[in-house]
Amino acid sequence: MTRLRDNVRGLPPAAWILFGGTFINRFGTFVIPFLVLYLTRSGYSIAQAGIAVGAYGAGHVVASLLGGHLADRIGRRNTIALSMFASAAAMLALSQARAFGAILILTCLCGTAAELYRPASSALLVDLLGPEQSVFAFGMYRTVVNLAFAAGPATAGFLADHSFFYLFLGDALTSTIYGIIALAALPHGLRTHTKAERFGEAIRLAAADKRLLLFLLATFFLTMVDFQMGSTFALHVKSVGLPTSAFGLLISENGLLIVFFELWITTIVQRFRPQPVVALGYFLSGLGFALTAFAGTMPALAATVAVWTLGEMISSPMSISYVAQLAPERYRGRYMGLLTVTWSFGMLTGPPIGTLLFARNESIVWAACGVLGIISATLMLIQSRLQTTTS
């Protein structure tokens, strides 16, 4: 408990401003967790809803690459503010879309705008604390995000029962508030891009790092599993006869567990080498989603959420910090962007594949989640052995 208290006291004021703005923004992340339910209720098929979530993932890919570049070029603060204001505008436009083509385009734009800030936020935390001390900071960051997420989806679930438009409006308002906070109070952070830098130099350096590539591959497989949360998991909750508000409460359980336990877990696991820790977390995440196949009641579903949330709490802060340790300082924003790109590809491929399989045979989805968790954990252990052998 003393070590946990010391870690909290060691965080600089700018980090707390970042946490506060992030809390406001993430509390208002109403639309995307409910996008599948919104579209199916609007008359679109399960497969079409999965494609729309994939379109958000495509925007996420663009945001990850562009966000990392902007974080190094125009500064972390400006990138965060740009992301928030653009996200507010895109969400309001999406709320008025009715044709499926327009929904896909605007959902992709929402993904680009709303996720542009991620590499900049991660890079700013490392700027403030350094790569070696950032594990706890990322745990704190995730705790703040999930404290907001614990209340956000539950609130959104009840709002959705009245009108889905309230979700879009709330999402836009909270993004705008964070954009104002970022401009007024956040530091710029490092700007490391130079005119003399060759185009694509950061990508070439990253592509030559086998440690990074194996880690990103493992993370991609696991992210495909994680993004079943807002697609096939939502559909499973609906298929067993539970209301929309029950899905919101289950997602809020994920956030509450992280709020109450992740900092304590992070304080313990940060003493160990990152690869075995990440491997354990990835395995538990896959196992938790695999167990959904056997869960048809609210208590059983809550138990599966607890398992995959434990995996998330073990692996996530360590995995982000590990990328910071691998990244050269001048490319920190872009390396963080590569990690976010990996999450983006998981979002781009996971929900469409998952919903397609769900429509044919739901059991295959949950079995695949378990297999991908095992593959991800195995890749991390292989990566660990390779690094030990070459060191």
Side-chain angles (χ1 to χ4, degrees):
M1 184 61 72
T2 301
R3 184 178 176 85
L4 175 60
R5 187 164 51 247
D6 291 342
N7 283 331
V8 171
R9 289 175 176 172
L11 294 170
W16 289 106
I17 295 170
L18 178 67
F19 297 153
T22 300
F23 174 85
I24 294 170
N25 177 55
R26 294 302 295 178
F27 174 83
T29 305
F30 292 159
V31 174
I32 297 308
F34 286 82
L35 186 61
V36 168
L37 297 179
Y38 167 68
L39 291 175
T40 53
R41 184 177 292 185
S42 300
Y44 294 102
S45 68
I46 291 175
Q48 286 176 312
I51 292 170
V53 175
Y56 187 91
H60 205 309
V61 173
V62 176
S64 304
L65 292 169
L66 183 60
H69 175 75
L70 290 175
D72 285 339
R73 188 179 184 93
I74 67 173
R76 323 312 195 196
R77 181 185 73 184
N78 292 342
T79 303
I80 292 170
L82 174 64
S83 174
M84 293 301 105
F85 294 135
S87 175
M91 282 295 176
L92 290 176
L94 179 59
S95 72
Q96 302 304 307
R98 297 296 178 264
F100 187 62
I103 288 172
L104 290 182
I105 293 171
L106 288 170
T107 301
C108 182
L109 288 175
C110 283
T112 302
E115 306 298 338
L116 197 67
Y117 79 98
R118 288 183 182 271
S121 294
S122 298
L124 182 57
L125 278 178
V126 180
D127 293 347
L128 295 170
L129 291 149
E132 300 298 332
Q133 287 74 42
S134 63
V135 177
F136 183 81
F138 285 120
M140 189 69 194
Y141 180 82
R142 280 177 39 80
T143 297
V144 169
V145 166
N146 285 280
L147 180 61
F149 207 55
T155 303
F158 290 108
L159 289 175
D161 287 336
H162 293 85
S163 171
F164 271 95
F165 175 72
Y166 294 147
L167 305 188
F168 293 95
L169 181 61
D171 208 316
L173 286 174
T174 53
S175 294
T176 301
I177 292 170
Y178 185 25
I180 294 171
I181 291 173
L183 286 179
L186 283 179
H188 274 295
L190 296 178
R191 301 185 193 184
T192 57
H193 185 275
T194 62
K195 292 183 179 179
E197 182 181 309
R198 291 184 299 164
F199 178 78
E201 185 176 341
I203 299 296
R204 285 191 291 271
L205 186 64
D209 190 338
K210 292 181 180 179
R211 299 170 302 168
L212 178 66
L213 295 180
L214 273 175
F215 167 77
L216 292 178
L217 182 61
T219 301
F220 166 68
F221 288 138
L222 196 279
T223 305
M224 291 182 69
V225 175
D226 283 342
F227 280 110
Q228 300 310 308
M229 178 181 67
S231 53
T232 53
F233 185 72
L235 294 171
H236 177 81
V237 173
K238 181 181 178 182
S239 72
V240 298
L242 295 172
T244 302
S245 55
F247 171 65
L249 290 172
L250 287 166
I251 301 305
S252 293
E253 177 200 350
N254 167 255
L256 285 171
L257 289 172
I258 290 172
V259 167
F260 285 111
F261 297 108
E262 182 162 300
L263 286 179
W264 175 68
I265 291 174
T266 302
T267 301
I268 296 172
V269 300
Q270 68 181 350
R271 306 169 189 171
F272 301 99
R273 295 178 61 241
Q275 299 97 321
V277 171
V278 173
L280 175 61
Y282 283 2
F283 170 75
L284 289 173
S285 293
L287 175 64
F289 276 98
L291 292 174
T292 305
F294 308 102
T297 65
M298 192 68 176
L301 286 166
T304 67
V305 171
V307 175
W308 52 259
T309 301
L310 176 61
E312 182 184 353
M313 290 189 290
I314 290 172
S315 63
S316 289
M318 186 70 83
S319 65
I320 303 171
S321 177
Y322 183 57
V323 173
Q325 294 174 33
L326 293 176
E329 182 181 274
R330 67 187 186 280
Y331 299 139
R332 185 173 292 156
R334 278 160 284 186
Y335 267 58
M336 290 300 177
L338 289 174
L339 177 59
T340 313
V341 165
T342 303
W343 292 336
S344 303
F345 276 113
M347 178 183 287
L348 181 64
T349 57
I353 293 174
T355 51
L356 180 63
L357 293 175
F358 188 96
R360 296 187 177 186
N361 187 336
E362 181 184 346
S363 298
I364 297 176
V365 176
W366 311 123
C369 287
V371 171
L372 288 174
I374 293 171
I375 293 173
S376 296
T378 302
L379 286 173
M380 286 306 304
L381 293 175
I382 292 173
Q383 197 258 28
S384 181
R385 285 189 179 182
L386 285 177
Q387 183 166 338
T388 302
T389 303
T390 55
S391 3

